[in-house]
Amino acid sequence: MILSCLTFLLALTLTGLMRYLALHKNLLDVPNARSSHSTPTPRGGGIAIVAAYLAALTFLFATGELPLWTWLGLAASAGAVALIGFIDDLEHVPARWRLLVHGGAAAWLLACVGGLPALDVPLLGTLDAGWLGTALLWVFLIWLINLYNFMDGIDGIAAAQAVTVCLGMAFLSWYAGHGEIGLPLGLLAMAALGFLVWNFPPAKIFMGDVGSGFLGVALGGLMTWQAQMANELIWAWLIMLGSFVVDASLTLLCRLLRGKRVYEAHRSHAYQSASQLAGAHRPVTLAVIALNLFWLLPCAWLAIAGVLPGLVALVIAYVPLLLLALHFRAGFDELEMSSARRS
């Protein structure tokens, strides 16, 4: 509890300091036609999450709570992604170089922590995909880093997602009898919560790529590590990450099918359309929190409790998310839809 409180206070204080520095150094996110905000806002606040969480992880390693290779895997991979994100916040880094760093960080993480464990799959029994499963997990980790960046488009949503996913998985880890591996989850939640105080709508500072990419790889790293300890937890992880995974993946698929440049800035995610319809960011951020706590968490519990096979619980959890994303026209931004209506 003391470590959690210190992590929260460190992130809270550092975010305030970063806001002060950003204002005085004119490090502002200036709105453009593709932005979801209307006033220049300080950016780079995600550095506070990075510093607070890495400090907490290092303390766990120093006190013997975290094995050496686990610490190296989690800290080095997240640090590398945060560094390239920070450089990108200051001056644009070509997508190929960012992907190279993301791929290397994911590979290092898997080398230190381990690959995809054997999973219980309905009709197939226990399935060990071997190197192919690890390769698929590597691709998923790279996608998780990038989708977190894509989903960080309105006030509070990325930090709120991290807080609720981490707290939900900490509870499920405890329920499954693995409470001892839940501490790093709680610490990441506290680091994100310290930032969220400043970022909750209306945001006083943005996290930037340094924070969004870091949260993506940190969550992916904890998922991979926990799956080594208890393979049934991976189904719960995939369910809890669902609101971001479904929106970002469907949006990407739709844009690919329509011949759009997937790395071009846009406002075609379902959550962005929802915020436009609501006329504010807060209702959408609160809706994501509610979805995580009152839909995805119970679905994940069904898998952990053995009420449903993990894959079945995953499908049940994702179907309403898919319908919501389709309802809010994921993959079609408002500028394109307005142009289509005029023509």
Side-chain angles (χ1 to χ4, degrees), residues 17-40:
L17 177 61
M18 282 303 304
R19 183 174 186 273
Y20 173 83
L21 291 174
L23 286 171
H24 283 74
K25 297 295 183 180
N26 202 34
L27 298 176
L28 303 177
D29 194 317
V30 180
N32 55 47
R34 300 286 178 173
S35 301
S36 295
H37 62 289
S38 56
T39 58

Side-chain angles (χ1 to χ4, degrees), residues 19-340:
R19 183 174 186 273
Y20 173 83
L21 291 174
L23 286 171
H24 283 74
K25 297 295 183 180
N26 202 34
L27 298 176
L28 303 177
D29 194 317
V30 180
N32 55 47
R34 300 286 178 173
S35 301
S36 295
H37 62 289
S38 56
T39 58
T41 305
R43 54 188 170 87
I47 292 175
I49 304 175
V50 176
Y53 185 57
L54 291 185
L57 278 187
T58 302
F59 181 83
L60 290 183
F61 164 67
T63 55
E65 296 291 332
L66 207 59
L68 171 62
W69 284 105
T70 301
W71 172 69
L72 285 174
L74 295 175
S77 60
V81 171
L83 178 59
I84 195 67
F86 178 67
I87 296 172
D88 193 44
D89 284 334
L90 296 178
E91 53 181 283
H92 177 69
V93 177
R96 62 181 180 276
W97 296 114
R98 295 199 306 271
L99 280 175
L100 182 63
V101 173
H102 296 167
W108 171 258
L109 174 63
L110 293 174
C112 292
V113 177
L116 186 71
L119 299 176
D120 293 327
V121 180
L123 303 179
L124 298 177
T126 301
L127 181 64
D128 186 355
W131 66 267
L132 177 60
T134 298
L136 290 173
L137 180 57
W138 176 72
V139 172
F140 178 76
L141 290 173
I142 296 172
W143 175 226
L144 189 61
I145 296 168
N146 285 276
L147 76 82
Y148 223 94
N149 176 265
F150 299 154
M151 294 295 290
D152 178 32
I154 62 172
D155 298 350
I157 191 170
Q161 168 80 351
V163 172
T164 51
V165 168
C166 286
L167 292 181
M169 285 307 306
F171 164 74
L172 292 171
S173 300
W174 167 82
Y175 182 86
H178 304 286
E180 72 282 356
I181 62 176
L183 181 56
L185 288 165
L187 295 176
L188 182 57
M190 290 301 101
L193 184 61
F195 170 79
L196 183 59
V197 172
W198 294 91
N199 185 239
F200 195 77
K204 299 176 180 65
I205 187 171
F206 297 153
M207 68 170 61
D209 288 357
V210 61
S212 58
F214 176 84
L215 285 177
V217 72
L219 290 168
L222 290 171
M223 176 189 73
T224 304
W225 174 58
Q226 282 206 326
Q228 299 297 318
M229 306 294 109
N231 62 355
E232 72 273 15
L233 289 176
I234 198 165
W235 296 115
W237 269 103
L238 292 173
I239 291 170
M240 289 299 299
L241 292 169
S243 57
F244 271 29
V245 170
V246 170
D247 190 346
S249 299
L250 181 62
T251 299
L252 177 70
L253 178 62
C254 288
R255 289 183 66 81
L256 280 172
L257 293 176
R258 296 172 59 234
K260 299 294 182 179
R261 296 178 182 176
V262 294
Y263 277 98
E264 191 177 67
H266 62 87
R267 286 199 297 181
S268 59
H269 290 280
Y271 76 91
Q272 291 169 318
S273 298
S275 68
Q276 289 295 317
L277 289 173
H281 295 183
R282 183 174 297 191
V284 180
T285 297
L286 291 175
V288 169
I289 294 173
L291 271 174
N292 289 344
L293 295 180
F294 302 116
W295 174 246
L296 296 179
L297 182 57
C299 287
W301 175 84
L302 291 175
I304 294 299
V307 177
L308 291 174
L311 182 59
V312 174
L314 178 70
V315 172
I316 291 173
Y318 275 26
V319 167
L321 300 180
L322 181 61
L323 294 175
L324 274 174
L326 290 171
H327 173 74
F328 286 110
R329 302 282 290 170
F332 296 83
D333 71 29
E334 62 168 310
L335 297 179
E336 294 169 341
M337 290 189 285
S338 296
S339 176

